């Protein structure tokens, strides 16, 4: 199945398909990949920044942003009871996220203003296609279809050190996976689909940059992704035990 459609996170995570984030977790351990994830403050901030940038009209549906009051007061407790489906946030708690948003909107990519890119892009769009014989999926933050260009928003504490984040978190693998998915869906050659990271600092001065990875770096991601799919396939063949801790139980370490 190949498809491109708007999906909320709940429906996307429940949908069939191998995702790149799942494969990176699977590399650590099947038990880890199928285990529950702890939602960190960084994840919450990232989700809110996405909303501020891409779907600001939906913030009022999901969050209630108010002036700071004491959480122990009856006023606050009554507010929580009256809004069971919303998270209550204080303006001063998310003030930095507004600064991050504003600096991202000052960016340009290939002579296009970022606000124009956001306006003309499909947002939070899920893409489904077959990769190496498996139904696969990915969710693009922004898909500028006219070119086309895939944009992905990332948070970092320091943009000057972001290159290490690209390596540690496998963003070069994500770049390959997303380019492959959209190429298989659209028929557009892989090489003609840029993957652009919008990196935003989560600390002062809240700087932002657009970052592009070299073809060689993304090719390394392609090799690693296919190796992960092979390991996943072998795991299925031997019974698909979700409690299995390590795929390899012998390791040789040297200098």
């Amino acid at each position: 199945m190949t498809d491109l459609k708007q999906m909320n996170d709940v429906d996307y995570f429940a949908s069939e398909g191998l995702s790149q984030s799942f494969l990176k977790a699977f590399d650590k351990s099947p038990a880890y990949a199928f285990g529950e994830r702890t939602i960190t403050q960084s994840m919450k901030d990232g989700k809110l920044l996405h909303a501020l940038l891409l779907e600001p009209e939906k913030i009022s549906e999901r969050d209630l942003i108010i002036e700071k009051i004491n959480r122990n007061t009856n006023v606050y407790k009554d507010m929580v009871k009256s809004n069971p489906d919303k998270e209550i946030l204080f303006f001063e708690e998310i003030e930095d996220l507004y600064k991050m948003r504003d600096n991202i909107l000052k960016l340009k990519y290939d002579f296009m203003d970022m606000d124009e890119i956001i306006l003309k892009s499909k947002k939070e769009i899920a893409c489904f296609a077959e990769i190496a014989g498996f139904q696969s999926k990915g969710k693009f933050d922004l898909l500028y279809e006219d070119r086309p260009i895939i944009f992905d928003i990332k948070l970092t504490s320091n943009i000057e050190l972001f290159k290490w984040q690209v390596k540690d978190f496998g963003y070069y693998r994500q770049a390959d996976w997303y380019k492959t998915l959209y190429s298989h869906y659209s028929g557009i050659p892989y090489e003609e689909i840029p993957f652009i990271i919008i990196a935003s600092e989560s600390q002062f001065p809240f700087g932002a940059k657009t970052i592009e990875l070299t073809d060689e770096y993304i090719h390394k991601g392609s090799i690693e992704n296919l190796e992960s799919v092979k390991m996943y396939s072998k795991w299925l063949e031997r019974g698909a035990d979700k409690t299995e801790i390590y795929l390899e139980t012998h390791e040789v370490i040297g200098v």
Side-chain angles (χ1 to χ4, degrees):
M1 177 189 78
T2 58
D3 200 3
L4 187 73
K5 58 184 178 180
Q6 202 86 39
M7 296 180 77
N8 61 43
D9 284 347
V10 173
D11 290 341
Y12 171 73
F13 289 126
S15 64
E16 180 187 354
L18 284 180
S19 70
Q20 204 274 316
S21 57
F22 171 82
L23 284 177
K24 284 188 294 190
F26 186 82
D27 287 350
K28 295 181 180 181
S29 159
Y32 177 76
F34 287 100
E36 296 230 358
R37 295 284 183 279
T38 300
I39 299 176
T40 65
Q41 187 58 49
S42 180
M43 291 178 184
K44 291 180 180 179
D45 288 345
K47 192 169 184 178
L48 187 52
L49 178 61
H50 278 65
L52 288 173
L53 270 169
L54 309 182
E55 300 175 304
E57 70 283 356
K58 292 187 177 180
I59 289 180
S60 60
E61 299 173 10
R62 194 191 70 193
D63 304 298
L64 183 63
I65 303 173
I66 63 172
E67 295 291 345
K68 188 172 183 178
I69 59 175
N70 191 319
R71 286 188 169 94
N72 294 319
T73 62
N74 288 331
V75 172
Y76 180 83
K77 292 175 182 177
D78 289 343
M79 200 172 294
V80 172
K81 288 181 182 178
S82 302
N83 297 275
D85 299 324
K86 294 188 178 184
E87 182 173 359
I88 297 179
L89 303 168
F90 297 148
F91 282 113
E92 66 179 41
E93 289 178 331
I94 64 169
E95 185 178 2
D96 291 347
L97 289 169
Y98 279 97
K99 294 174 184 175
M100 292 157 63
R101 179 204 63 180
D102 292 345
N103 285 335
I104 288 173
L105 291 175
K106 293 175 185 176
L107 293 174
K108 291 180 181 288
Y109 174 74
D110 201 19
F111 305 106
M112 295 185 292
D113 293 332
M114 187 55 63
D115 56 355
E116 177 188 357
I117 290 170
I118 292 173
L119 179 65
K120 295 182 178 179
S121 293
K122 289 187 174 179
K123 305 165 187 68
E124 303 284 358
I125 194 81
C127 185
F128 298 85
E130 186 177 288
I131 296 179
F134 287 94
Q135 177 66 27
S136 303
K137 64 182 181 180
K139 195 172 183 186
F140 310 151
D141 289 342
L142 289 166
L143 175 63
Y144 190 84
E145 284 190 294
D146 288 351
R147 303 286 295 266
I149 309 165
I150 299 169
F151 291 91
D152 196 78
I153 303 163
K154 302 292 187 192
L155 294 185
T156 181
S157 59
N158 186 332
I159 283 182
E160 298 308 312
L161 302 178
F162 184 70
K163 61 182 178 181
W164 303 115
Q165 214 169 309
V166 172
K167 177 179 181 295
D168 292 343
F169 295 156
Y171 295 156
Y172 61 99
R173 293 182 57 173
Q174 182 189 10
D176 166 74
W177 193 260
Y178 281 16
K179 282 161 62 75
T180 301
L181 275 174
Y182 193 65
S183 178
H184 288 187
Y185 163 78
S186 65
I188 297 169
Y190 176 99
E191 298 78 11
E192 295 179 13
I193 305 170
F195 177 87
I196 307 299
I197 295 171
I198 301 170
S200 173
E201 287 180 325
S202 57
Q203 300 176 12
F204 182 84
F206 309 106
K209 286 185 179 182
T210 53
I211 294 175
E212 196 163 0
L213 308 181
T214 64
D215 291 341
E216 292 79 11
Y217 206 174
I218 297 176
H219 180 64
K220 171 179 164 64
S222 176
I223 294 171
E224 293 182 14
N225 283 334
L226 290 177
E227 186 60 34
S228 294
V229 172
K230 287 179 185 177
M231 289 196 299
Y232 178 76
S233 180
K234 290 178 181 177
W235 173 77
L236 291 176
E237 290 173 1
R238 62 175 183 269
D241 179 4
K242 293 182 180 180
T243 66
E244 185 176 347
I245 298 177
Y246 293 119
L247 299 172
E248 300 290 342
T249 55
H250 177 72
E251 184 174 359
V252 178
I253 298 175
V255 293

